[in-house]
């Protein structure tokens, strides 16, 4: 029905409800009331129905636009955010901290020897493993956290309101996810993969975005030099290299 029109002796004395539909699906309703009985004549009702159709199209376009932008911000293979989107969110978080104070952690995770794994197992298996790891990473993060595909085998994770110890616990969980990942369509056969992580804290390790990314990258590079499946924070690297006092 194009509308529901109700009149009553109690206020509101007149009400009309116009359903908002898109492709035969109900997406909302437009409700207008009046304190006067008989306020909505046939001409007004027809205009409200026409307005409802226009409003339905506007709402549908907004939904489609939001979906498009969300897809554009997602990596097509893993479903994680893209590096471009992550850079934008990182800038927003820095601006928030600069304005209101606090800190956050940035972690960069790299799957160890993934090129060798892909060469031995093939592209299809490697892609399936990346999708599985990405989904599990998302499932184990908070809603406020942001995970992105940062390279072919790298992931960047933004952890708002997290200190170094909290970030380390998150990193260890993510490393465990990679370690326990099994081959697709197998009887629980392990992939044998591990992950190394470098982590930096804003604004302690750097007070600007590029410096923070570089600090996390440096920590990751040193973690990889130490062997597979290592976790290293930038302050640990700085102390090791004598940049910071070891005490």
């Amino acid at each position: 029905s194009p509308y529901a029109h109700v009149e009553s002796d109690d206020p509101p004395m007149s009400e009309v409800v116009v359903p908002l539909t898109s492709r035969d699906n109900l997406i909302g309703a437009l409700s207008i009331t009046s304190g006067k009985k008989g306020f909505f004549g046939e001409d007004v009702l027809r205009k409200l129905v026409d307005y409802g159709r226009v409003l339905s199209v506007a709402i549908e376009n907004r939904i489609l636009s939001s979906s498009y932008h969300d897809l554009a911000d997602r990596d097509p293979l893993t479903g994680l955010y893209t590096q471009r989107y992550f850079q934008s969110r990182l800038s927003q978080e820095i601006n928030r901290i600069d304005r209101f104070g606090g800190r956050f952690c940035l972690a960069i995770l790299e799957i160890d020897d993934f090129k060798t794994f892909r060469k031995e197992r093939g592209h299809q298996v490697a892609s399936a493993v990346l999708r599985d790891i990405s989904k599990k990473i998302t499932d184990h993060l908070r809603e406020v956290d942001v995970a992105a595909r940062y390279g072919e085998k790298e992931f960047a994770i933004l952890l708002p309101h997290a200190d170094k110890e909290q970030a380390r616990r998150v990193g260890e969980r993510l490393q465990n996810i990679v370690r326990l990942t099994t081959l697709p369509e197998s009887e629980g056969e392990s992939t044998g993969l591990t992950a190394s992580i470098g982590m930096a804290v804003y604004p302690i390790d750097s007070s600007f975005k590029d410096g923070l990314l570089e600090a996390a990258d440096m920590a990751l590079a040193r973690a990889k030099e130490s062997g597979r499946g290592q976790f290293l924070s930038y302050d640990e690297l700085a102390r090791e290299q004598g940049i910071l006092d070891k005490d």
Side-chain angles (χ1 to χ4, degrees):
S1 146
Y3 60 83
H5 181 209
V6 179
E7 293 193 355
S8 171
D9 292 330
D10 300 317
M13 293 183 174
S14 297
E15 180 179 11
V16 59
V17 179
V18 179
L20 306 178
T21 60
S22 171
R23 295 184 177 87
D24 296 326
N25 293 318
L26 183 66
I27 61 173
L30 173 65
S31 174
I32 302 176
T33 62
S34 172
K36 296 181 180 180
K37 201 169 185 178
F39 181 79
F40 298 104
E42 289 298 322
D43 289 343
V44 175
L45 291 172
R46 281 195 296 269
K47 289 179 181 179
L48 288 175
V49 170
D50 290 339
Y51 179 72
R53 294 192 182 103
V54 174
L55 187 57
S56 296
V57 173
I59 292 174
E60 181 183 26
N61 287 341
R62 187 61 177 267
I63 292 171
L64 291 175
S65 176
S66 298
S67 299
Y68 170 78
H69 286 300
D70 186 61
L71 288 173
D73 290 334
R74 297 282 183 174
D75 173 64
L77 174 63
T78 63
L80 297 177
Y81 287 113
T82 62
Q83 183 177 154
R84 178 185 63 82
Y85 177 84
F86 185 83
Q87 292 271 3
S88 175
R89 285 295 300 272
L90 186 57
S91 296
Q92 292 174 14
E93 188 64 15
I94 287 174
N95 291 336
R96 188 186 68 80
I97 295 298
D98 289 346
R99 183 175 181 183
F100 299 107
R103 66 183 64 182
F104 69 85
C105 290
L106 166 68
I108 299 180
L109 178 152
E110 179 176 326
I111 301 176
D112 300 318
D113 298 327
F114 190 72
K115 288 185 178 180
T116 301
F117 175 82
R118 185 182 60 191
K119 184 177 180 180
E120 293 176 350
R121 296 290 184 171
H123 285 274
Q124 288 188 333
V125 170
S127 294
V129 167
L130 278 179
R131 284 192 295 268
D132 184 36
I133 290 173
S134 299
K135 182 181 182 305
K136 289 175 180 175
I137 285 176
T138 301
D139 291 343
H140 280 75
L141 293 177
R142 304 168 300 173
E143 288 188 7
V144 297
D145 300 332
V146 180
R149 190 179 184 192
Y150 204 67
E152 182 182 3
K153 54 181 179 175
E154 294 89 24
F155 304 89
I157 300 101
L158 174 63
L159 301 166
H161 314 292
D163 59 27
K164 187 179 73 172
E165 293 308 315
Q166 291 170 324
R168 181 178 291 275
R169 290 194 292 271
V170 171
E172 289 172 351
R173 289 201 301 269
L174 299 185
Q175 287 178 313
N176 202 40
I177 285 172
V178 175
R179 184 177 61 82
L180 296 177
T181 299
T182 59
L183 291 171
E185 300 180 2
S186 72
E187 296 298 328
E189 182 183 352
S190 173
T191 60
L193 292 172
T194 58
S196 297
I197 296 177
M199 186 268 292
V201 183
Y202 185 88
I204 297 173
D205 296 327
S206 178
S207 58
F208 60 100
K209 184 173 74 171
D210 289 344
L212 187 71
L213 288 165
E214 183 178 358
D217 275 330
M218 290 172 62
L220 173 62
R222 184 67 184 93
K224 289 162 56 180
E225 291 175 3
S226 302
R228 295 165 59 99
Q230 301 298 311
F231 182 107
L232 190 70
S233 62
Y234 178 74
D235 71 317
E236 292 170 331
L237 172 64
R239 286 184 173 85
E240 177 185 305
Q241 296 181 344
I243 299 174
L244 293 177
D245 191 327
K246 292 186 178 180
D247 293 332

